[in-house]
């Protein structure tokens, strides 16, 4: 069973950058699709980006496309979210989640890392 730990959150000014990491433990990480989600106070959880096991297929929410880049290193069992040109509306707790390629739902979640973008 894969377990996930996020890191890299913090406080940054608008226009700045952060890189989030999602480190996975367990075997066969390459068999898992990994997604980044976020939840701002008082709002529902939003899908931000996702990447398949090989790293060749990615998907982004319209709100972050062109600013965020998801990538993975399967040797290091880590998925990254590079966030550039950050805006105050990107402020949220960011979670990574994983689902086995044979399933439809994300069933493994990290504890989250907080990102705050000041104006």
């Amino acid at each position: 069973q894969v377990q996930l730990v996020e890191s890299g959150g913090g406080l940054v000014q608008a226009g700045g950058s952060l890189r989030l990491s999602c480190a996975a433990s367990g075997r066969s990480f390459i068999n898992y699709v990994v997604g980044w989600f976020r939840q701002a106070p008082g709002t529902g959880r939003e899908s931000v980006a996702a990447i398949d096991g090989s790293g060749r297929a990615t998907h982004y929410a319209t709100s972050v496309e062109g600013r965020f880049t998801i990538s993975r290193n399967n040797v290091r069992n880590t998925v990254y979210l590079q966030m550039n040109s950050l805006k105050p509306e990107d402020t949220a707790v960011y979670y990574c989640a994983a689902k086995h390629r044979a399933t439809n739902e994300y069933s493994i979640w990290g504890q989250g890392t907080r990102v705050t973008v000041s104006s």
Side-chain angles (χ1 to χ4, degrees):
Q1 177 77 337
V2 170
Q3 293 181 319
L4 305 173
V5 177
E6 302 98 332
S7 62
L11 173 64
V12 64
Q13 288 188 331
S17 298
L18 282 175
R19 187 176 80 158
L20 305 184
S21 297
C22 174
S25 61
R27 299 184 297 177
S28 303
F29 182 59
I30 197 170
N31 291 326
Y32 288 80
V33 174
V34 176
W36 282 98
F37 298 78
R38 67 186 180 186
Q39 187 164 18
T43 70
R45 188 170 59 202
E46 175 190 15
S47 174
V48 174
I51 189 166
D52 76 343
S54 70
R56 289 193 290 267
T58 58
H59 176 78
Y60 297 93
T62 302
S63 58
V64 307
E65 195 153 18
R67 299 188 298 123
F68 291 11
T69 302
I70 189 170
S71 62
R72 67 191 292 161
N73 183 325
N74 286 334
V75 173
R76 296 186 174 184
N77 277 10
T78 303
V79 172
Y80 304 98
L81 185 68
Q82 177 67 43
M83 306 187 295
N84 299 328
S85 302
L86 282 161
K87 304 175 182 179
E89 51 263 44
D90 294 318
T91 295
V93 177
Y94 284 71
Y95 301 89
C96 65
K99 60 178 179 177
H100 192 274
R101 61 183 181 178
T103 63
N104 291 326
E105 294 190 7
Y106 288 94
S107 59
I108 305 166
W109 291 82
Q111 83 288 352
T113 185
R114 185 175 300 276
V115 172
T116 303
V117 184
S118 63
S119 57

